[in-house]
Amino acid sequence: MPGMGERAYVYAKACGIIGKSFVGKRISGLGSVSRLSELDRLVFPQTGRNLPERELLLDLEDRIIGRAVQQCITIVDSYSKPPELLVRLIRTYEYADLKAALNALASGETKNPGFTDIGHFRTVKFEAYPDLGAMIGGTEFEFLLKEPIQSDKNADRMLLQMKLDRHYYTSLWETLFALSRKDRVSIEKILSEEISLRNAVWALRLRTYYSMSAEVVREKLLSIGRKKPRAEGGKPSDTMAADALASLAMALDSRSDWVGWKREAFLNPEKPDEHWKVDPRYFQNAAAEYLYRLARISFHLQPFSIDTSFCFIKLKQFEEDLLTSVAEGLGFGMSSRDVFTLLEMES
């Protein structure tokens, strides 16, 4: 485990970066932005671009993502021997890029969809696209070579992405227990909530968009024990699939059915003169806002624990999602306040 001097150095560096990031009170500064060029000057005051709006959108998104990734790598590389859990968090980008590559393959696209540069943490050879064997051979993703991926059906793509998420979260949860109890207090709380809410989102999406039965959805959920690693099985009450399982008996268009559900607060509100039905996108945005607040609160709780670095990465990934969402909204002619409303956030 890292020594106290190393931990103090990492914490100081993380605080310096977060202090200049668009999280917490600094988010309000985005509320008055009305053009992409304004957002560019606000986020990158020293390196703004003089480009047409359409070109600027893609360029700005690339720079937003690139900066977030490099700042996360800077923190993780500050450890002489980075904890595996933090390394896997960096590889969140690799998972996302692999999903994009699999989607492109399923659609028959021959052009490489590109990937985010995570430097020496990368394991997939994305430059070998469209040769999947060459891309993932010798990596932890080799199991995908046994799966049928040549399908352009949305449901098949969804299930394949869920399989990757299952692999990711199972591995991440297992690495958590390599840390001392003091180093993982906040991580365990946030990660267990994230997995539980991800299961709930899966259940809502599979039932809403793909009309899957409760029995089928039940088989797709990620059942990991809350107190110790367990890839599969276990009683529903012991796993992070419990809330999603409880939702399977509730009608998607009956608000009264959901009263008392543990995750009821994340559901879309009822509107006058409009019949209510579950909105998975609203739920997902509300859950993301909740997880962001957990990470923000936990960032300073134990300054010299691994918790701090975990929360730092989560906060930078939140900032990245927020800034790219605002950029895309502005690109479509929306105001930044409209984007905040869609994301269930206050500007």
Side-chain angles (χ1 to χ4, degrees), residues 91-242:
R91 289 185 180 144
T92 301
Y93 294 95
E94 186 169 63
Y95 274 82
D97 291 336
L98 184 53
K99 288 179 181 179
L102 292 173
N103 277 336
L105 282 171
S107 300
E109 297 179 19
T110 57
K111 183 180 179 181
N112 193 320
F115 59 92
T116 301
D117 183 13
I118 58 172
H120 61 93
F121 294 112
R122 181 163 67 96
T123 64
V124 177
K125 302 178 182 65
F126 289 105
E127 62 274 7
Y129 183 91
D131 185 344
L132 184 61
M135 286 172 57
I136 63 176
T139 74
E140 63 184 290
F141 304 111
E142 274 192 320
F143 69 91
L144 291 171
L145 297 177
K146 301 177 182 179
E147 303 292 331
I149 66 165
Q150 300 301 327
S151 171
D152 59 0
K153 295 181 179 179
N154 288 335
D156 290 343
R157 294 186 188 187
M158 175 71 171
L159 293 176
L160 185 57
Q161 293 199 6
M162 287 179 64
K163 189 178 291 291
L164 267 177
D165 281 352
R166 177 186 297 275
H167 180 81
Y168 171 73
Y169 280 111
T170 299
S171 301
L172 195 60
W173 188 255
E174 289 173 349
T175 62
L176 170 66
F177 289 86
L179 301 175
S180 69
R181 178 59 186 167
K182 289 184 179 180
D183 271 330
R184 68 172 195 260
V185 174
S186 293
I187 303 175
E188 191 168 345
K189 166 67 173 177
I190 296 170
L191 189 54
S192 65
E193 286 289 89
E194 182 176 340
I195 295 172
S196 178
L197 289 167
R198 180 60 65 94
N199 270 320
V201 169
W202 282 343
L204 294 178
R205 292 179 66 186
L206 291 176
R207 294 177 65 202
T208 301
Y209 301 140
Y210 304 105
S211 301
M212 291 187 182
S213 68
E215 291 72 21
V216 174
V217 174
R218 187 186 307 274
E219 297 173 357
K220 309 301 180 185
L221 297 178
L222 176 54
S223 295
I224 299 179
R226 287 184 179 275
K227 296 303 181 183
K228 59 182 179 181
R230 178 165 48 198
E232 299 289 346
K235 297 179 180 179
S237 60
D238 296 332
T239 74
M240 286 171 272

Side-chain angles (χ1 to χ4, degrees), residues 292-329:
Y292 151 70
R293 294 191 182 282
L294 276 183
R296 187 182 168 210
I297 291 170
S298 301
F299 178 64
H300 294 294
L301 286 183
Q302 297 191 98
F304 306 127
S305 70
I306 305 302
D307 279 342
T308 293
S309 298
F310 173 90
C311 291
F312 172 87
I313 295 173
K314 287 296 184 181
L315 289 173
K316 292 305 299 184
Q317 290 174 344
F318 166 83
E319 180 201 38
E320 174 197 324
D321 289 342
L322 174 62
L323 292 177
T324 54
S325 294
V326 171
E328 289 172 2

Side-chain angles (χ1 to χ4, degrees), residues 196-208 212-215 217-218 221 236 240-254 257-264 267 276 278 283:
S196 178
L197 289 167
R198 180 60 65 94
N199 270 320
V201 169
W202 282 343
L204 294 178
R205 292 179 66 186
L206 291 176
R207 294 177 65 202
T208 301
M212 291 187 182
S213 68
E215 291 72 21
V217 174
R218 187 186 307 274
L221 297 178
M240 286 171 272
D243 298 335
L245 289 170
S247 76
L248 297 180
M250 302 168 188
L252 296 172
D253 60 353
S254 175
D257 275 17
W258 300 82
V259 174
W261 184 47
K262 183 177 178 180
R263 305 299 180 175
E264 182 183 0
L267 294 171
W276 184 89
V278 171
F283 186 98

